[in-house]
Amino acid sequence: MRPAAGTKQLVTAAEFVPDTLSLPRLREAAAGCRGCPLWRSGTQTVFGEGARAARVMLVGEQPGDREDREGHPFVGPAGRLLDEALEEAGIDRGAAYVTNVVKHFKWTARGKRRIHAKPSWGEVAACRPWLDAELAVVEPEALVLLGATAAQGLLGRSFRVTKQRGEPIDSDLAPIVVATVHPSAVLRAPDETRDEERAALVGDLRVVAAELARARHTATR
């Protein structure tokens, strides 16, 4: 149906998502996505990566500078911290799927540096069809939302990570849904509180590990 005269048609990634869903097909199609203006600023689409049958899916905000250049999610400093935190929490990083709510790097120039800029609500909404497709293919048992942008993008704009972090959330997105801070927030914390913030992130991930263990125990009874 054509939009009424004088109205603006909302452009999203939906028209770029293939009818047949598989991770290789989604990744290939996402490379040509023009669902929002961010494709013009990003070097390339940075799609999710990980095990097709992953028990855990971790969702961040967007790729950073290094991720944008290399084309892989969570390969920078925040990704290294996430790897360490997952290991401490007892979650196998190699069996997890990692992605972002926005697949292109949004940035502003500061001299020769490209500085992270928070995606708008419209950009998050425009990219949502890719994340919905990833969820449909992977069907994770546990969904971990890293940071406010990811949590609000999937749970609603009224959700507050500061109030509900580390708590299992009743949602139809996955059997287990938990929100916590993004690892980059830990890296930005002042020196005197960084260890405490890191321990809190590990603690939230341990909640996920415990919920997974409980689910597996229940299934084998």
Side-chain angles (χ1 to χ4, degrees), residues 13 17-18 20-28 30 45-54 56-61 73-74 96-104 127-143 154 173-174:
V17 177
T20 302
L21 299 184
S22 71
L23 292 180
R25 286 180 64 85
L26 287 171
R27 189 172 293 109
E28 180 182 8
T45 303
V46 182
F47 204 71
E49 292 182 351
R52 156 65 182 82
V56 182
M57 179 184 285
L58 300 115
V59 182
E61 179 186 273
F74 287 95
Y97 186 92
V98 293
T99 190
N100 290 291
V101 291
V102 171
K103 312 302 191 200
H104 284 101
C127 208
R128 175 68 186 268
W130 292 119
L131 186 54
D132 287 339
E134 288 173 294
L135 284 165
V137 172
V138 177
E139 295 184 313
E141 190 172 343
L143 177 65
L154 285 168
L173 293 169

Side-chain angles (χ1 to χ4, degrees), residues 120-122 148-149 151-160:
S120 69
W121 182 257
T149 300
Q152 292 179 359
L154 285 168
L155 300 175
R157 300 175 80 169
S158 63
F159 185 86
R160 294 292 178 267

Side-chain angles (χ1 to χ4, degrees), residues 65-175:
D65 180 79
R66 182 171 167 184
E67 287 82 1
D68 176 64
R69 297 181 191 278
E70 297 187 19
H72 302 286
F74 287 95
V75 293
R80 288 195 298 273
L81 175 58
L82 179 61
D83 290 350
E84 295 168 359
L86 288 168
E87 182 177 1
E88 288 187 40
I91 297 174
D92 182 2
R93 169 65 173 83
Y97 186 92
V98 293
T99 190
N100 290 291
V101 291
V102 171
K103 312 302 191 200
H104 284 101
F105 179 38
K106 183 176 182 178
W107 56 277
T108 57
R110 186 177 298 169
K112 294 183 178 181
R113 298 176 60 200
R114 301 191 303 171
I115 305 300
H116 161 277
K118 183 178 179 179
S120 69
W121 182 257
E123 290 159 350
V124 171
C127 208
R128 175 68 186 268
W130 292 119
L131 186 54
D132 287 339
E134 288 173 294
L135 284 165
V137 172
V138 177
E139 295 184 313
E141 190 172 343
L143 177 65
V144 183
L145 306 175
L146 303 169
T149 300
Q152 292 179 359
L154 285 168
L155 300 175
R157 300 175 80 169
S158 63
F159 185 86
R160 294 292 178 267
V161 173
T162 52
K163 292 183 178 181
Q164 292 180 259
R165 63 176 294 180
E167 300 177 3
I169 300 157
D170 185 19
S171 170
D172 59 3
L173 293 169

Side-chain angles (χ1 to χ4, degrees), residues 89 166 198-208:
R198 186 182 185 283
L201 172 60
V202 172
D204 293 341
L205 293 174
R206 282 182 175 144
V207 171
V208 177

